[in-house]
Amino acid sequence: MSVDGGSRFTLRSLAPSVFLPTIVYEVGNGAVAPVLALTALELGASPAVAGVVVAVLGLGQLVGTVPSAALINRVGDRKAMMVSAVAAGVGMVASYLAGHLLVLAAATALVGASNAAFYLARQSFVTLVVPVSSRAATMSTLGGTHRIGLFLGPFVGAAAIQVADLRAAFLVGIAATVMTVGLLVVAREPPQAEAIARRPRETASVGTVLREHGRLLSTLGVAVFAIGATRAARPTVVPLWSDHIGLDPQTTSVIFGVSAAIDMALFYPAGRIMDRFGRLWIAVPSMVLLGGSMVLVPLTSGPVALAAVALIMGAGNGLGSGIVMTLGADVAPREGTVRFLSLWRLMNESGHGAGPLLVAAVATWSLAAAIVGAGLVGLLAAAAVARWAPRWSPYATAAMVRAHLR
């Protein structure tokens, strides 16, 4: 679903109100991510408890996804992004000042819930504003800005830590939220945004939307769950296997960094391919590359082989940038759009939570089996998308794109 106005729309029109604020917001998250567990350890947590504190971030994001729809429905997409950025800033301040683990955990949960609202608001805004002919390119660019911010964040955080101390990373997070609100206040929106802002509030409840679209969520939604699980397992696969074969942390960081660079380089062309040839041209190859390369990881025994496989993983993940949001926009109903997208994101976020847990659970028996299992989930996701996307998305294949956009 989107408003009319394809002839007037350009990606550049979304830069001030969506892309730039997203990069800045994610710089803050990226700066904090590496120090969250370390801060918990500083407060006296054991490594296991520190891991729980980190997991609370994802839990807060998962729990906050569906309630975020009510906020967006009440105040609108743009104001919801501002409110969530302010709330995230409050969480960052509390984390910076935390003198007890419970305070840090509560603050982390608040940041996670704020992230959920921010992500849902920007996705619903783009879904409603962008014409179908540019939908995939826009969603892929949005996914790319997310990656860029998270990539830059640890470097900015490291610089702040070098100047001050460990908790200076939270100051970067605070500054990022303040800058995000400032950008949203002054940003000029595209012409289509005015019509979106005047849309009536959604009256359908989450339960109603769930009942009406349960079949979709139990088919294509399960594919989205599997995509989320595979993607979330990816950041754990390379470091764990690297340590298993005896590589030093510096080598692991270089391998991971190069993989991330390939990931970021592919988001825009992937979106253009989806807009022209259909969603399956990217969705299936991206998950085959990501899942298939994971299956190959246990066959590597040195840095060169692992780096080659990690590059394929990065390419697969980068190609799939924006695919979940694009499919969500394709299948979102005209009535209850935001609440539907909250359920759509819930499926994906649930997968994100399950992926690392799958690896951790199986790894207690065999690390190789855990990594192969995560890869197989990715291959199953490719098969599920190939099976169900043409059933629900009007733009799954090149023929369907031509039929609907001619």
Side-chain angles (χ1 to χ4, degrees):
M1 174 185 176
S2 68
V3 297
D4 190 21
S7 61
R8 293 179 290 129
F9 175 80
T10 62
L11 278 176
R12 188 180 296 113
S13 69
L14 288 180
S17 59
V18 177
F19 298 143
L20 185 57
T22 297
I23 291 175
V24 173
Y25 186 83
E26 296 295 30
V27 165
N29 281 326
V32 168
V35 305
L36 190 54
L38 297 177
T39 304
L41 293 173
E42 185 184 74
L43 291 173
S46 65
V49 173
V52 171
V53 172
V54 174
V56 166
L57 181 69
L59 180 62
Q61 194 164 307
L62 180 64
V63 172
T65 297
V66 172
S68 297
L71 171 66
I72 295 166
N73 191 40
R74 178 173 293 275
V75 304
D77 309 283
R78 184 181 177 117
K79 288 182 180 178
M81 291 175 73
M82 295 181 192
V83 170
S84 57
V86 169
V90 172
M92 298 286 188
V93 171
S95 297
Y96 177 75
L97 299 174
H100 193 280
L101 274 173
L102 290 178
V103 175
L104 180 64
T108 301
L110 175 59
V111 173
S114 302
N115 288 348
F118 189 89
Y119 299 158
L120 179 60
R122 70 181 186 180
Q123 181 182 355
S124 64
F125 178 78
V126 171
T127 296
L128 293 166
V129 165
V130 176
V132 171
S133 59
S134 299
R135 175 179 289 163
T138 307
M139 292 298 188
S140 294
T141 302
L142 181 57
T145 58
H146 170 84
R147 287 164 165 79
I148 291 170
L150 290 179
F151 178 78
L152 295 175
F155 296 102
V156 180
I161 292 169
Q162 186 68 28
V163 172
D165 57 15
L166 179 69
R167 296 204 186 191
F170 292 108
L171 297 178
V172 174
I174 296 166
T177 59
V178 172
M179 290 178 62
T180 299
V181 174
L183 288 169
L184 290 169
V185 168
V186 303
R188 195 172 75 182
E189 293 185 324
Q192 301 92 330
E194 185 177 345
I196 297 304
R198 293 198 305 265
R199 75 183 189 273
R201 290 184 181 179
E202 296 181 357
T203 57
S205 67
V206 171
T208 300
V209 174
L210 181 60
R211 285 192 299 273
E212 291 178 352
H213 303 282
R215 179 63 177 166
L216 187 160
L217 292 170
S218 65
T219 51
L220 188 58
V222 171
V224 165
F225 175 94
I227 291 172
T230 308
R231 284 179 166 174
R234 171 178 164 264
T236 68
V237 165
V238 172
L240 288 177
W241 191 254
S242 180
D243 178 73
H244 180 74
I245 62 178
L247 301 185
D248 58 71
Q250 292 82 1
T251 301
T252 301
S253 296
V254 170
I255 292 173
F256 201 86
V258 173
S259 178
I262 295 296
D263 186 338
M264 288 190 297
L266 296 175
F267 66 84
Y268 183 74
R272 284 302 182 195
I273 290 171
M274 282 192 284
D275 278 330
R276 184 171 181 181
F277 298 107
R279 313 324 186 199
L280 293 185
W281 274 71
I282 289 298
V284 173
S286 70
M287 294 313 298
V288 168
L289 286 174
L290 182 56
S293 57
M294 281 189 183
V295 172
L296 296 177
V297 166
L299 301 179
T300 65
S301 58
V304 175
L306 182 58
V309 173
L311 286 175
I312 299 173
M313 291 171 63
N317 201 56
L319 276 176
S321 174
I323 182 59
V324 171
M325 291 188 291
T326 300
L327 287 172
D330 287 347
V331 302
R334 290 187 174 275
E335 299 295 330
T337 302
V338 177
R339 287 195 166 90
F340 173 85
L341 290 176
S342 72
L343 294 172
W344 185 258
R345 290 196 64 88
L346 182 64
M347 297 294 294
N348 190 240
E349 293 294 346
S350 298
H352 272 275
L357 292 177
L358 168 67
V359 173
V362 182
T364 60
W365 169 60
S366 167
L367 178 59
I371 294 173
V372 170
L376 291 177
V377 171
L379 296 177
L380 288 173
V385 170
R387 170 67 179 86
W388 293 110
R391 166 68 177 83
W392 299 107
S393 170
Y395 315 103
T397 66
M400 295 171 76
V401 169
R402 288 194 298 270
H404 285 87
L405 297 183
R406 62 186 178 185

